[in-house]
């Protein structure tokens, strides 16, 4: 007899921590058991128990064209047939690097890696090497991957020194990372007044996406650019989520900010493990083999990943793609707010390109504390009610939903019809 989806989930939990290879997949934030996915096409996934769901997780961001887009699948398949990995240079790496350098003002030179975590870890190493300084500044609620220097949260009270946000991160390392509230330029200036000569870099999500979507307030990014330049520190934009997601290139194009270093992943791999970090030529020439900063990768620039990323970006084609994408996200956001209002539920939505968040609150949050004060009980009810209606929303109030070009008006309509019923459940409390 065939193994049932339930049996697979039980087997998963016996051999994989929590049954998942990345924690948010476990539904820990919303309760209940996750489903296993069998396949995906366009805006839909099909589960192992045979349900077809509209998907707003979209692999957490990479799938700008939807699941299994023919151009991406064909390019990856063709590359795979020619050999899965060489550990020697290929044409596809040059083509993707040229495309990225053409699209991002912040890229003169770019190095491919395999995950967003690796990209931010490496960018910080370059920043520390370039400045000869060791402290970094990050923002509460921004996520930059799971390496030790950035798995840090704010300490208690007024202290700006971070404390480990995970067991196993040494406190002495955490002390090198200072944490301030998102959108709070005054707090950044204060940290620089106190520690300026020791600060190597400020790292920021230019549109925050890992506490739900939180937009930068006017002047915030410009202020970071100015403060870092004045202090001889580097500005690192973590565009792992926003790169080619909120604009062609990324948020640096949308907001006109020129960083010293930029990190990319997600969209640039088309669904395969591809990431990159890059920046000004003289900074990136510090990286081996040219310079003293060591960074390497057996599978970096993998030909199948390069082919998938190139095919996705070539299909996207340029800036014109993003108007209709954002229109779809806005239509969904507006529709959700209107439906919530009809049911007397307080809801605000935030959209940037193909990023969309719902917050159960009257107004859109501007920082992590405000996100934390939204109604997560209402979110859990909303999530499960939508899932019952065939819509897979990200299983956490701290995650962003992703709209792809496959989320056409019919998909948006279907989602809004489901949401109308879901808000009845939310309103019932
Ligand atoms: C997803 C994400 C990362 C981590 O990328 P991984 O590929 O999961 O290691 C880093 N920064 C941001 C802004 C992200 O959204």
């Amino acid at each position: 007899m065939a193994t049932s989806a339930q049996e697979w989930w039980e087997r998963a939990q016996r051999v994989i921590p929590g049954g998942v290879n990345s924690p948010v997949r476990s539904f820990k934030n919303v309760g209940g058991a996750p489903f296993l996915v069998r396949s995906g096409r366009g805006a839909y996934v099909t589960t192992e128990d045979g349900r077809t769901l509209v998907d707003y997780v979209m692999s957490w961001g990479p799938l700008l064209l939807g699941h299994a887009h023919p151009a991406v699948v064909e390019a990856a398949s063709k590359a795979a047939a020619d050999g899965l990995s060489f550990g020697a240079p290929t044409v596809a790496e040059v083509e993707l690097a040229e495309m990225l350098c053409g699209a991002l003002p912040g890229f003169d030179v770019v190095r491919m890696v395999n995950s967003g975590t690796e990209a931010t870890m490496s960018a910080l190493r370059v920043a520390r090497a370039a400045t000869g300084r060791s402290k970094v500044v990050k923002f509460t609620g921004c996520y930059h991957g799971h390496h030790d220097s950035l798995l840090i949260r704010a300490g208690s009270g007024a202290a700006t020194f971070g404390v480990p946000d995970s067991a196993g991160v040494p406190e002495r390392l955490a002390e090198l990372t200072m944490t301030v509230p998102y959108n709070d330029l005054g707090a950044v200036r204060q940290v620089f007044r106190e520690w300026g000569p020791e600060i190597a870099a400020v790292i920021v999500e230019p549109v925050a996406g890992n506490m739900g979507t939180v937009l930068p307030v006017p002047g915030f990014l410009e202020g970071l650019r100015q403060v870092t330049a004045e202090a001889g520190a580097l500005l690192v934009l973590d565009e792992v989520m926003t790169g080619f997601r909120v604009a062609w290139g990324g948020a640096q194009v949308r907001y006109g900010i020129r960083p010293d270093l930029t990190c990319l992943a997600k969209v640039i791999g088309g669904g395969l493990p591809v990431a990159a970090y890059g920046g000004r030529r003289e900074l990136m020439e510090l990286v081996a083999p040219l310079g003293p900063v060591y960074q390497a990768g057996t599978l970096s620039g993998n030909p199948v990943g390069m082919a998938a990323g190139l095919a996705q970006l070539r299909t996207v084609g340029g800036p014109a793609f993003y108007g209709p994408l954002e229109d779809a996200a806005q239509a969904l956001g507006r529709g959700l707010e209107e439906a919530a209002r009809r049911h007397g539920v307080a809801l605000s939505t935030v959209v940037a390109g193909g990023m969309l968040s719902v917050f159960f609150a009257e107004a859109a949050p501007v920082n992590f504390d405000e996100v934390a004060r939204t109604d997560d009980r209402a979110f859990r009810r909303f999530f499960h009610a939508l899932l019952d209606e065939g819509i897979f929303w990200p299983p956490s109030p701290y995650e962003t939903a992703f709209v792809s070009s496959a989320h056409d008006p019919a998909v948006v309509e279907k989602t809004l019809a489901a949401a109308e019923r879901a808000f009845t459940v939310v309103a019932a409390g």
Side-chain angles (χ1 to χ4, degrees):
M1 223 180 69
T3 307
S4 73
Q6 174 61 25
E7 284 165 333
W8 275 116
W9 177 234
E10 281 159 19
R11 284 170 67 173
Q13 288 170 286
R14 278 199 286 277
V15 290
I16 302 172
V20 292
N21 283 310
S22 196
V24 73
R25 299 177 197 172
S26 70
F27 281 20
K28 199 174 164 211
N29 286 310
V30 289
F35 50 82
L36 281 68
V37 175
R38 183 186 300 161
S39 63
R41 183 153 303 268
Y44 294 89
V45 288
T46 299
T47 70
E48 281 296 341
D49 34 27
R51 298 183 71 202
T52 295
L53 308 170
V54 177
D55 183 18
Y56 287 97
V57 173
M58 298 310 287
S59 186
W60 301 99
L63 308 179
L64 195 51
L65 301 170
H67 290 280
H69 189 281
V72 180
V73 172
E74 195 191 322
S77 307
K78 202 162 158 292
D82 284 336
L84 293 169
S85 176
F86 306 114
T90 64
V91 166
E93 292 166 276
V94 185
E95 289 180 319
L96 185 55
E98 284 177 350
M99 182 176 266
L100 299 181
C101 291
L104 278 91
F107 272 5
D108 299 331
V109 182
V110 59
R111 168 64 62 81
M112 302 295 171
V113 291
N114 304 289
S115 71
T117 297
E118 233 186 301
T120 61
M121 177 182 77
S122 307
L124 280 197
R125 188 175 302 147
V126 170
R128 284 169 164 160
T131 57
R133 304 171 177 182
S134 54
K135 290 195 195 322
V136 298
V137 178
K138 79 177 280 283
F139 296 91
T140 305
C142 284
Y143 175 69
H144 303 290
H146 62 87
H147 61 91
D148 290 352
S149 282
L150 291 174
L151 213 52
I152 306 295
R153 62 182 165 81
S156 57
T160 42
F161 287 128
V163 297
D165 202 12
S166 161
V169 174
E171 266 166 42
R172 284 204 286 188
L173 192 57
E175 284 168 9
L176 295 177
T177 304
M178 340 268 280
T179 314
V180 291
Y182 196 74
N183 275 325
D184 189 343
L185 208 49
V188 176
R189 289 214 173 89
Q190 181 58 36
V191 165
F192 269 89
R193 269 196 293 278
E194 217 164 321
W195 304 100
E198 293 178 52
I199 297 171
V202 172
I203 184 165
V204 65
E205 290 181 68
V207 173
N210 287 286
M211 48 178 154
T213 308
V214 174
L215 300 176
V217 298
F220 176 59
L221 297 173
E222 294 80 355
L224 294 182
R225 178 64 286 183
Q226 192 193 348
V227 170
T228 47
E230 282 168 10
L234 302 188
L235 178 61
V236 182
L237 291 189
D238 180 354
E239 298 230 46
V240 165
M241 186 184 291
T242 54
F244 295 93
R245 167 60 65 183
V246 301
W248 179 253
Q252 59 193 264
V253 175
R254 190 177 171 114
Y255 293 101
I257 300 296
R258 199 189 177 108
D260 300 296
L261 294 166
T262 301
C263 304
L264 291 176
K266 298 194 171 125
V267 170
I268 65 162
L272 274 90
V274 174
Y277 70 102
R280 281 169 28 219
R281 181 171 303 278
E282 70 271 24
L283 296 173
M284 291 305 290
E285 286 183 349
L286 294 171
V287 177
L290 296 179
V293 176
Y294 194 71
Q295 183 272 310
T298 302
L299 295 176
S300 295
N302 173 269
V304 184
M306 296 295 103
L310 273 169
Q312 174 155 268
L313 292 180
R314 282 174 179 157
T315 305
V316 168
F321 176 88
Y322 292 87
L325 181 74
E326 183 152 333
D327 287 348
Q330 294 282 11
L332 182 55
R334 265 197 316 276
L336 289 171
E337 284 184 3
E338 285 161 15
R341 199 173 310 128
R342 280 193 288 278
H343 293 274
V345 173
L347 187 88
S348 65
T349 63
V350 178
V351 168
M355 292 165 68
L356 164 66
S357 268
V358 298
F359 294 104
F360 285 87
E362 293 291 347
V366 299
N367 59 36
F368 182 79
D369 281 353
E370 290 187 11
V371 174
R373 282 199 292 272
T374 63
D375 187 347
D376 56 345
R377 208 169 139 265
F379 179 87
R380 282 195 294 277
R381 297 177 77 89
F382 174 72
F383 169 84
H384 283 293
L386 273 186
L387 191 54
D388 290 345
E389 296 283 345
I391 311 290
F392 181 30
W393 202 259
S396 163
Y398 296 97
E399 299 290 350
T400 289
F402 295 99
V403 173
S404 76
S405 56
H407 292 74
D408 59 23
V411 172
V412 170
E413 274 310 305
K414 188 183 166 88
T415 306
L416 289 175
E420 193 72 47
R421 295 184 290 270
F423 284 121
T424 312
V425 178
V426 175

